[in-house]
Amino acid sequence: MPRNQSTAAQRARAKQRETGAKYTTALRETIRTSTPRQAFSLRELLVECTTSPAWTGRHPEIDPEWAPRMFDSALLGGPVPYTTVLRLTGGLAAKGLSAEMTVESRQGCYSMVVACGGRRFQLALTQDDWIAELCLVPGCEHRPVAAALIPYCEHQHLVERSGTELAKMAWLWGDDRHQEFDGDPAAAHTGNQGDALIVAAVAQGAFPQVAAKLVESCYENPDLIEEIYFDEAEATAVRHAMDNEHLRLKETARKAAARIRKLVGGLCVCGRPLHLSPEASVPARYCSAECASSVGQPTAG
């Protein structure tokens, strides 16, 4: 066995001798059951990546001709592609080299999930340079609505955030859009990501504040438009765009409330019909703030 053969590969060979299992099967199982360190810094991972010799084992998932160049990482619990780790650490460099990372899960030499700085990433171990950001909730395999700005999936976990959390994300997302459309502020819009925030806000009874944060941060404080845009035509265009976005978000909220009410059969848990506007600051599946409070559901004031 080559001197630089991975420890995982050595364990797999030992298991093969003991049980008679195929080497690739033993290797996959050995890596899957490996227990990496619970926490380590980006600096440690970067040092390991740039100083470790190449892994000399045979990739159990794909043909050797297409296998990425890998090193056997003690921190990540087995072989990982060099370029994938370099891309990951580079993308997180703004967090600082002392930022802590943890391994959430690993599926042999197929893929793994790591968390760092309030973000989660899936790393493909079958090819070079492939990383996908995941929803912030541990165990979730869906993508976030907008990476670090709206770090929860639209499928389930965004609608579980509180109104306060949603308003904060709305401000960050709107500000990002404001910067993107800096050259033409009247053309700004909150997009599908903004709609996802509105749908979640309706479920939490937080539409008014979330919509207000979205629009103000995406465009401008409505009380300051004429002071910021000295050109009257530009100021009018921005105000018109804000009004249109407010109307669009209200329609998005109305449709979201209708879908929620349809799912619950059109009736509140108390048996009364659901009829409140999304602007009433009551979660769409309840008939009143009192009814929502009686079952422990917070309402926005």
Side-chain angles (χ1 to χ4, degrees):
M1 181 180 297
R3 184 172 58 185
N4 293 331
Q5 185 93 358
S6 75
T7 55
Q10 292 175 24
R11 292 194 298 271
R13 289 295 186 194
K15 184 173 182 178
Q16 180 191 31
R17 288 193 296 270
E18 293 173 5
T19 65
K22 290 184 178 179
Y23 170 68
T24 53
T25 302
L27 176 60
R28 188 183 298 111
E29 183 62 27
T30 300
I31 294 173
R32 183 179 289 116
T33 57
S34 297
T35 304
R37 288 176 53 187
Q38 289 300 303
F40 49 90
S41 69
L42 284 178
R43 179 182 289 105
E44 289 178 280
L45 181 59
L46 185 60
V47 168
E48 185 183 58
C49 176
T50 54
T51 60
S52 298
W55 179 55
T56 59
R58 178 171 177 268
H59 202 297
E61 302 289 346
I62 55 177
D63 189 279
E65 181 181 356
W66 305 105
R69 290 189 66 246
M70 307 173 82
F71 70 98
D72 192 26
S73 172
L75 299 174
L76 299 179
V80 288
Y82 285 103
T83 53
T84 298
V85 172
L86 289 172
R87 180 180 175 188
L88 176 67
T89 55
L92 289 169
K95 300 288 184 183
L97 291 177
S98 296
E100 280 197 347
M101 178 177 290
T102 58
V103 176
E104 181 179 306
S105 63
R106 177 166 182 138
Q107 297 181 7
C109 277
Y110 181 73
S111 69
M112 67 184 306
V113 176
V114 298
C116 180
R119 300 168 73 180
R120 294 173 64 242
F121 300 88
Q122 182 182 44
L123 282 60
L125 306 179
T126 58
Q127 55 188 295
D128 284 316
D129 205 23
W130 192 96
I131 297 174
E133 187 150 0
L134 299 177
C135 171
L136 191 56
V137 176
C140 182
E141 298 181 354
H142 295 296
R143 303 288 183 88
V145 172
L149 299 178
I150 311 175
Y152 299 94
C153 67
E154 189 174 356
H155 299 268
Q156 175 184 354
H157 296 117
L158 184 62
V159 298
E160 296 175 351
R161 301 305 102 193
S162 69
T164 300
E165 290 178 277
L166 292 170
K168 181 179 180 180
M169 286 184 273
W171 182 269
L172 292 173
W173 175 248
D175 184 63
D176 186 76
R177 299 295 279 175
H178 181 78
Q179 295 180 47
E180 182 175 342
F181 289 91
D182 183 56
D184 188 5
H189 56 87
T190 61
N192 294 334
Q193 296 85 348
D195 289 351
L197 285 166
I198 292 298
V199 170
V202 170
Q204 293 294 332
F207 169 72
Q209 59 266 46
V210 171
K213 292 290 186 182
L214 261 178
V215 175
E216 181 176 338
S217 59
C218 185
Y219 297 95
E220 196 54 71
N221 184 326
D223 297 329
L224 300 177
I225 290 178
E226 280 71 21
E227 297 181 25
I228 294 173
Y229 300 105
F230 299 108
D231 182 83
E232 184 177 350
E234 186 175 28
T236 299
V238 171
R239 191 173 290 281
H240 181 66
M242 290 179 69
D243 291 341
N244 283 341
E245 187 69 357
H246 266 300
L247 291 174
R248 192 186 71 80
L249 294 179
K250 285 183 180 181
E251 179 62 15
T252 298
R254 185 193 66 78
K255 292 179 179 178
R259 286 195 296 271
I260 292 172
R261 290 164 183 167
K262 183 177 180 180
L263 286 173
V264 298
L267 296 175
C268 180
V269 291
C270 69
R272 296 192 186 98
L274 298 170
H275 63 278
L276 292 178
S277 162
E279 296 180 64
S281 297
V282 176
R285 62 188 181 278
Y286 296 104
C287 64
S288 67
E290 292 75 19
C291 194
S293 298
S294 69
V295 292
Q297 173 68 43
T299 57

